[in-house]
Amino acid sequence: MAHPVQGNLWVGFSGGLDSTVLLHLLATCRVPVRALHIHHGLSESADRWVDHCRAFAQELEVPFTLKRVVVDKRDGGLEQGARLARYLAFDQVLSSGDQILLGHHGDDQAETFLLRLLRGAGVLGLAGMAEWRSIGGGKSLLRPLLKVGRADLEIWARDHGLSWIDDESNTDESLDRNFLRRRILPLLSVQWSVRQRISRAVDNLRESAELLRELALTDLESCGLRAERFGESLDLSLFSALSMTRRKNLLRHWILQQGGLAPESTVLQEAISQVDSAALDAQLEVQLGRRVVRRFKGRLYLTSRLKTVPADGEKGVSWDGVSRLSLSAGGVLEPAVGWSSAEYQVSYRRGGERAHPADRDRSQTLKKLLQERGLEPWLRDRVPLVFLKGELVAVAGLFSCKANRATPDPPPGWRFFD
Ligand SMILES: Nc1ncnc2c1ncn2[C@@H]1O[C@H](COP(=O)(O)OP(=O)(O)OP(=O)(O)O)[C@@H](O)[C@H]1O
């Protein structure tokens, strides 16, 4: 694999056979690596696994990093949630230029391929397990053992007297993967060299998947993709002019690009039908896993899910006007040039407020002003309102209010993220 290492080389070290062999192989070849173990907090044995992994790394004189994560079951179940949390953790621990090596081997690839096939996956799913992929921010993920079979890893491990963690659940044949591994693959292997053939099919499918990705990127661009205060948007009429297949392809890749999980084809189709059929003025909101599709002013938005505005956020927090403030409803408030230090209060809209923007003759209801300024409806309860002695003096990111020397235009900046 021609991917030069610029930063650190990590091994995703679970303590299982595959990553144990991988780490051992690299360390004994004197490749400078670091071991990264993710603690999912799911199994009662997890703490013992940490001890085992740390001791093994120490024996190899490999630096060991432990990262604890919280698994969200809403991300497609426990297993999928753990996977997502793990990949997020990889991203957090790695720096730009770093690479992480995972222990997936040829048998894993064959199992994954068949499992996905039996679940009805498309090209993207079937081509899923790549030898190399970028995880953004100049970091990448590698699977150097994909062409090696599990039996060879076991031979290596036994020859070198390595011990590894065998998950108790690996023998439970009611689990699809175990059933395939223990019953079906040995049978198929009597007739065919399954691992090699599936590996070839995956390589072919990856080319098709790459074409679909390129098409999606071209379509995203021609639909006027643009970064928004929160998420991204594209032109709805240009999007709607594409065929259903291309719209699904675009939406799938758009979600992937934002770091989400590709939804099932039927789910995508349903979401697009909802976008098509909703009345133009209706507030549309379709949940796709951790992403949300919305519509506003002729544009289609893709954002992450909003957390609810905490009740205490409404009471207001104090702010000195000159430093950055993290907001309970998400994002930060950033000081603006010319603002003097004072005892400001920051809170959110409750309804009924009026404001007098510096560039207007008269005051107006805040509701109307937010509409006029084109703030997306889903952000209107989250826009920070800045008060001085009980009087509204600025709406962050939008305008300062008239006749208040302490708060000239521009207003404090507002960067929103959830
Ligand atoms: N807890 C963990 N900490 C660090 N790395 C891990 C952990 N679990 C798995 N990995 C890495 O992922 C590889 C594959 O592990 P495993 O087969 O258990 O995961 P999977 O869920 O089947 O695969 P996927 O990574 O696609 O989610 C391991 O060889 C290891 O490199």
Side-chain angles (χ1 to χ4, degrees), residues 229 319 321-323 332-340 344 346 356-359 370 373 383-387 392-402 404 406-415:
R229 189 188 291 279
W319 181 50
V322 290
S323 44
V332 287
L333 192 64
E334 285 168 335
V337 185
W339 275 54
S340 33
Y344 300 99
V346 178
H356 189 165
D359 56 2
L370 297 182
R373 311 247 162 173
V383 59
L385 309 181
V386 184
F387 293 85
L392 179 62
V393 292
V395 179
L398 297 178
F399 56 84
S400 288
C401 297
K402 194 137 187 155
N404 197 318
T407 61
D409 250 348
W414 173 41
R415 281 201 301 119

Side-chain angles (χ1 to χ4, degrees), residues 18 33 80 92 109 162 258 277 290 297 309 313 317 324-325 331 364 389 403:
D18 37 8
V33 284
Q80 184 71 315
Q92 286 165 357
Q109 189 177 44
L162 308 182
Q258 285 196 5
S277 59
R290 277 192 172 195
K297 289 204 163 172
V309 181
V317 289
R324 278 165 56 108
L325 178 72
Q364 176 63 278
K389 298 192 177 99

Side-chain angles (χ1 to χ4, degrees), residues 12-14 18-19 36-38 40 83 86-87 102-104:
F13 181 38
S14 61
D18 37 8
S19 52
L36 170 58
H37 180 80
I38 311 297
H40 297 107
R83 187 168 294 140
R86 186 157 71 240
Y87 281 81
L102 303 185
H104 294 100

Side-chain angles (χ1 to χ4, degrees), residues 91-102:
D91 183 42
Q92 286 165 357
V93 173
L94 268 63
S95 307
S96 182
D98 286 4
Q99 308 197 334
I100 184 155
L101 307 179
L102 303 185

Side-chain angles (χ1 to χ4, degrees), residues 23-284:
L23 191 63
H24 181 259
L25 201 69
L26 292 164
T28 47
C29 293
R30 307 225 165 273
V31 177
V33 284
R34 301 162 165 265
L36 170 58
H37 180 80
I38 311 297
H39 187 304
H40 297 107
L42 295 175
S43 165
E44 284 181 7
S45 325
D47 290 333
R48 269 195 297 116
W49 295 346
V50 172
D51 294 342
H52 167 89
C53 290
R54 184 182 281 117
F56 186 76
Q58 229 158 32
E59 218 176 284
L60 295 175
E61 296 180 12
V62 164
F64 177 81
T65 301
L66 170 68
K67 172 90 182 161
R68 287 171 195 274
V69 296
V70 179
V71 174
D72 189 342
K73 272 197 281 188
R74 288 173 306 171
D75 290 324
L78 215 54
E79 211 181 323
Q80 184 71 315
R83 187 168 294 140
L84 208 68
R86 186 157 71 240
Y87 281 81
L88 258 173
F90 291 162
D91 183 42
Q92 286 165 357
V93 173
L94 268 63
S95 307
S96 182
D98 286 4
Q99 308 197 334
I100 184 155
L101 307 179
L102 303 185
H104 294 100
H105 48 73
D107 293 47
D108 282 335
Q109 189 177 44
E111 288 161 20
T112 303
F113 177 88
L114 289 175
L115 277 174
R116 290 183 180 177
L117 183 67
L118 293 169
R119 284 179 197 146
V123 172
L124 220 58
L126 295 177
M129 202 131 73
E131 278 192 328
W132 175 90
R133 84 175 160 88
S134 157
I135 50 172
K139 308 164 205 173
S140 44
L141 181 154
L142 282 87
R143 297 185 172 104
L145 300 180
L146 275 189
K147 301 273 190 254
V148 183
R150 183 184 167 92
D152 292 330
L153 299 182
E154 273 191 35
I155 292 172
W156 178 278
R158 297 209 193 283
D159 283 356
H160 293 86
L162 308 182
S163 62
W164 64 89
I165 298 161
D166 238 336
D167 197 330
E168 334 52 274
S169 67
N170 277 345
T171 51
D172 178 357
E173 290 186 6
S174 68
L175 300 174
D176 292 349
R177 184 179 284 273
N178 295 343
F179 180 75
L180 261 179
R181 188 175 58 241
R182 295 166 64 93
R183 297 283 194 97
I184 306 300
L185 280 164
L187 193 62
L188 288 175
S189 304
V190 172
Q191 188 76 1
W192 300 283
S193 44
V194 181
R195 196 160 40 75
Q196 288 83 341
R197 292 197 181 198
I198 290 184
S199 172
R200 234 173 26 231
V202 167
D203 288 344
N204 289 330
L205 283 159
R206 185 147 317 113
E207 282 190 17
S208 313
E210 185 50 29
L211 283 177
L212 292 177
R213 197 181 72 89
E214 285 177 17
L215 178 66
L217 294 185
T218 309
D219 283 347
L220 270 167
E221 200 163 313
S222 61
C223 285
L225 179 70
R226 142 179 128 194
E228 297 290 347
R229 189 188 291 279
F230 180 47
E232 293 170 322
S233 77
L234 46 80
D235 184 299
L236 188 54
S237 57
L238 294 173
F239 174 74
S240 301
L242 297 174
S243 69
M244 176 56 101
T245 321
R246 274 173 83 159
R247 276 184 279 169
K248 277 163 74 179
N249 187 53
L250 179 154
L251 196 48
R252 182 180 291 125
H253 282 89
W254 196 11
I255 292 170
L256 287 172
Q257 245 191 349
Q258 285 196 5
L261 292 173
E264 299 267 333
S265 180
T266 46
V267 174
L268 281 175
Q269 178 135 2
E270 173 59 27
I272 294 171
S273 306
Q274 284 190 45
V275 171
D276 280 347
S277 59
L280 268 184
D281 54 351
Q283 281 241 13
L284 177 86

Side-chain angles (χ1 to χ4, degrees), residues 268-338:
L268 281 175
Q269 178 135 2
E270 173 59 27
I272 294 171
S273 306
Q274 284 190 45
V275 171
D276 280 347
S277 59
L280 268 184
D281 54 351
Q283 281 241 13
L284 177 86
E285 190 180 308
V286 187
Q287 306 272 344
L288 287 172
R290 277 192 172 195
R291 303 279 124 187
V292 185
V293 173
R294 304 169 204 266
R295 212 180 54 186
F296 178 57
K297 289 204 163 172
R299 296 193 69 85
L300 190 70
Y301 284 71
L302 185 67
T303 70
S304 52
R305 281 199 220 134
L306 283 163
K307 57 182 175 215
T308 43
V309 181
D312 62 345
E314 287 159 20
K315 278 193 255 135
V317 289
S318 17
W319 181 50
D320 62 6
V322 290
S323 44
R324 278 165 56 108
L325 178 72
S326 286
L327 299 159
S328 54
V332 287
L333 192 64
E334 285 168 335
V337 185

